[in-house]
């Protein structure tokens, strides 16, 4: 990945920051979310647990339709879960009303996938970045303060002061995404949910935007939930990773543990299909075929939901749901757990 960011913000980039789990910033437990009715009911997110520490980046990976964005919408308070709890700094955001709800909304922001569609073409960069202050008027009450802060935010994301009065169509895709990031930062959030923030960008520009996000975390201590189907991007940015398949987190752990020694066959297959990554958890010299289509969410396979595509599948996999298995749990009790749902996990 490129290290140089044009107009780069100053300050040391210390790389990945370990989250503290004494009190996680975000604590998601058993969250389930379904859509539709009767036979046309599908469970997009099925009993998911997630934690994000202060200043930590959690990567969320999985194929299209596995429930990443639905989970993100629950975390953002845009969808109410059918079951389970969301705690943000110990508070359930779905119980908040009025001023408390407004105060919470400040703390959790979003960066969208498509910097072309997500910015209003008729607003200047300064107006786009400052728009959240219209709702949260108390933050920067005077026009002078707002103008000064817009310039600071532009500089923070590697844009120039002279960019303040330009319009979205005058920027490149990477620059537009920087505006999206500056806008997400306007309310000084604790958590930013980034849903495929670089997938619409060229590879070289992806690296620049990832560096901006990474530097902001170091400078501001902000946490991210970082959603992507691109494993190399997730590996680059994440401290911990959760891998989703058909609505469930089937493996999670520290990014290096999950990527260097996947324990779930699905993770290993995903990595095998990703040309830019090594697959040390795969059988030596073999490429693992991720064959077949993802099953319809209306007809989730019995037992292990990955069994219709798994090269290790055995009769037990169809008969019973796989248990949670942990790797090296006893070797180092202080280490982040590395767990997966599988009857026959890989050896690593
Ligand atoms: N509002 C909705 N009504 C009905 N079904 C929905 C709704 N939102 C999502 N779904 C379904 O829930 C499942 C999960 O969708 P989601 O958008 O969360 O997946 P995703 O992992 O973000 O996929 P992608 O990588 O393509 O963005 C899909 O089967 C989708 O069709
Ligand atoms: S439980 Fe069976 S089918 Fe499922 S991932 Fe493990 S080995 Fe494959
Ligand atoms: Mg999505």
């Amino acid at each position: 990945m490129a290290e140089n960011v044009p107009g780069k913000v100053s300050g040391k980039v210390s790389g990945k920051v370990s989250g503290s789990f004494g009190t996680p910033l975000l604590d998601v437990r058993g969250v389930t979310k379904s859509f539709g009715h009767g036979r046309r009911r599908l469970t997009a997110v099925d009993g998911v647990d997630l934690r994000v520490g202060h200043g930590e980046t959690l990567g969320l990976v999985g194929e299209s339709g596995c429930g990443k964005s639905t989970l993100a919408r629950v975390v953002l308070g845009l969808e109410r879960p059918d079951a389970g709890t969301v705690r943000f700094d110990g508070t359930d955001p779905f119980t908040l009303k009025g001023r408390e709800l407004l105060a919470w909304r400040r703390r959790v922001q979003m960066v969208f996938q498509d910097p072309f569609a997500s910015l209003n073409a008729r607003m200047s960069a300064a107006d786009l970045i400052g728009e959240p202050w219209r709702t949260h008027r108390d933050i920067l009450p005077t026009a002078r303060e707002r103008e000064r802060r817009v310039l600071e935010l532009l500089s923070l994301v590697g844009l120039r002061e002279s960019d303040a009065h330009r319009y979205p169509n005058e920027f490149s895709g990477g620059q537009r995404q920087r505006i999206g990031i500056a806008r997400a930062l306007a309310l000084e959030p604790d958590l930013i949910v980034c849903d495929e923030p670089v997938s619409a960008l060229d590879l070289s520009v992806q690296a620049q935007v990832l560096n901006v996000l990474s530097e902001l975390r170091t400078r501001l201590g902000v946490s991210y939930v970082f959603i992507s189907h691109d494993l190399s991007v997730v590996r680059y940015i994440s401290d911990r990773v959760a891998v989703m398949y058909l609505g469930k987190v089937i493996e999670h752990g520290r990014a290096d543990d999950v990527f260097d020694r996947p324990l779930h066959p699905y993770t290993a297959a995903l990595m095998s299909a990703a040309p830019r990554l090594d697959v040390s958890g795969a059988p030596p010299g073999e490429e693992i075929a991720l064959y077949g289509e993802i099953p319809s969410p209306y007809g989730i396979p019995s037992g292990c939901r990955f069994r219709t595509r798994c090269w290790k599948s055995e009769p037990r996999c169809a008969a019973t749901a796989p248990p949670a298995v942990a790797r090296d749990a006893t070797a180092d009790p202080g280490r982040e757990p590395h767990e997966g749902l599988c009857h026959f996990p890989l050896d690593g």
Side-chain angles (χ1 to χ4, degrees):
M1 291 284 176
E3 283 300 319
N4 293 324
V5 180
K8 179 170 150 175
V9 293
S10 60
K12 185 169 168 283
V13 181
S14 67
K16 296 176 180 179
V17 181
S18 292
S20 152
F21 286 101
T23 47
L25 178 64
L26 176 71
D27 194 354
V28 169
R29 300 219 179 168
V31 159
T32 296
K33 179 70 193 172
S34 300
F35 298 105
H37 302 282
R39 292 178 60 195
R40 298 306 292 167
R41 188 168 177 84
L42 68 84
T43 302
V45 175
D46 191 354
V48 163
D49 295 342
L50 287 182
R51 290 168 309 158
V52 182
H54 293 266
E56 189 195 45
T57 300
L58 173 79
L60 197 56
V61 284
E63 290 166 287
S64 182
C66 70
K68 305 181 296 292
S69 296
T70 304
L71 186 55
R73 291 175 63 78
V74 171
V75 165
L76 286 157
L78 303 173
E79 300 270 12
R80 186 177 280 275
D82 305 330
T85 56
V86 176
R87 292 262 186 279
F88 188 84
D89 234 358
T91 302
D92 178 350
F94 293 101
T95 64
L96 300 176
K97 290 194 178 72
R99 292 167 71 93
E100 284 181 338
L101 181 60
L102 199 62
W104 172 74
R105 288 211 179 284
R106 258 184 79 170
R107 300 182 65 189
V108 187
Q109 295 295 312
M110 173 138 197
V111 172
F112 297 93
Q113 169 173 359
D114 189 347
F116 298 85
S118 59
L119 300 179
N120 184 336
R122 288 196 289 269
M123 292 172 75
S124 68
D127 289 342
L128 285 163
I129 293 169
E131 196 184 24
W133 298 326
R134 289 191 195 172
T135 313
H136 300 266
R137 290 182 177 275
D138 54 315
I139 295 178
L140 295 168
T142 70
R144 197 186 170 86
E145 284 173 300
R146 292 193 292 271
E147 278 164 27
R148 204 193 62 230
R149 186 65 183 146
V150 163
L151 299 183
E152 284 172 5
L153 286 166
L154 283 168
S155 151
L156 208 54
V157 297
L159 292 171
R160 289 187 298 266
E161 291 191 0
S162 56
D163 291 327
H165 303 294
R166 294 169 70 202
Y167 287 81
N169 67 347
E170 300 172 64
F171 291 102
S172 70
Q175 288 171 327
R176 281 185 235 210
Q177 199 53 306
R178 288 166 194 254
I179 295 172
I181 295 167
R183 182 183 157 96
L185 288 172
L187 299 175
E188 298 179 13
D190 298 307
L191 177 71
I192 302 181
V193 178
C194 306
D195 194 348
E196 303 275 6
V198 296
S199 349
L201 306 175
D202 289 348
L203 216 56
S204 60
V205 181
Q206 285 190 9
Q208 293 171 5
V209 171
L210 288 173
N211 280 342
V212 168
L213 288 169
S214 181
E215 290 177 17
L216 289 170
R217 183 180 62 166
T218 308
R219 287 189 76 174
L220 308 176
V222 65
S223 304
Y224 299 116
V225 172
F226 191 98
I227 296 172
S228 178
H229 62 275
D230 185 331
L231 296 193
S232 57
V233 163
V234 168
R235 177 169 206 162
Y236 177 75
I237 196 103
S238 307
D239 302 300
R240 287 189 311 115
V241 173
V243 183
M244 285 185 79
Y245 188 76
L246 274 178
K248 270 204 186 299
V249 170
I250 52 85
E251 178 161 3
H252 69 94
R254 280 172 33 158
D256 51 352
D257 286 342
V258 171
F259 288 122
D260 291 342
R261 298 189 308 140
L263 63 75
H264 198 285
Y266 176 60
T267 311
L270 267 188
M271 290 172 63
S272 175
R276 282 173 285 158
L277 287 176
D278 289 330
V279 186
S280 34
E286 282 182 44
E287 181 155 323
I288 305 165
L290 190 53
Y291 57 83
E293 295 290 314
I294 307 174
S296 159
Y298 295 105
I300 290 185
S302 64
C304 172
R305 55 192 63 204
F306 182 56
R307 71 176 165 80
T308 53
R309 302 169 80 196
C310 181
W311 78 98
K312 282 172 68 85
S313 180
E314 296 197 18
R316 196 201 302 174
C317 305
T320 50
V325 288
R327 179 175 283 153
D328 301 338
T330 50
D332 179 1
R335 196 175 169 91
E336 287 292 324
H338 178 191
E339 295 174 342
L341 297 175
C342 183
H343 287 299
F344 307 104
L346 302 173
D347 291 339

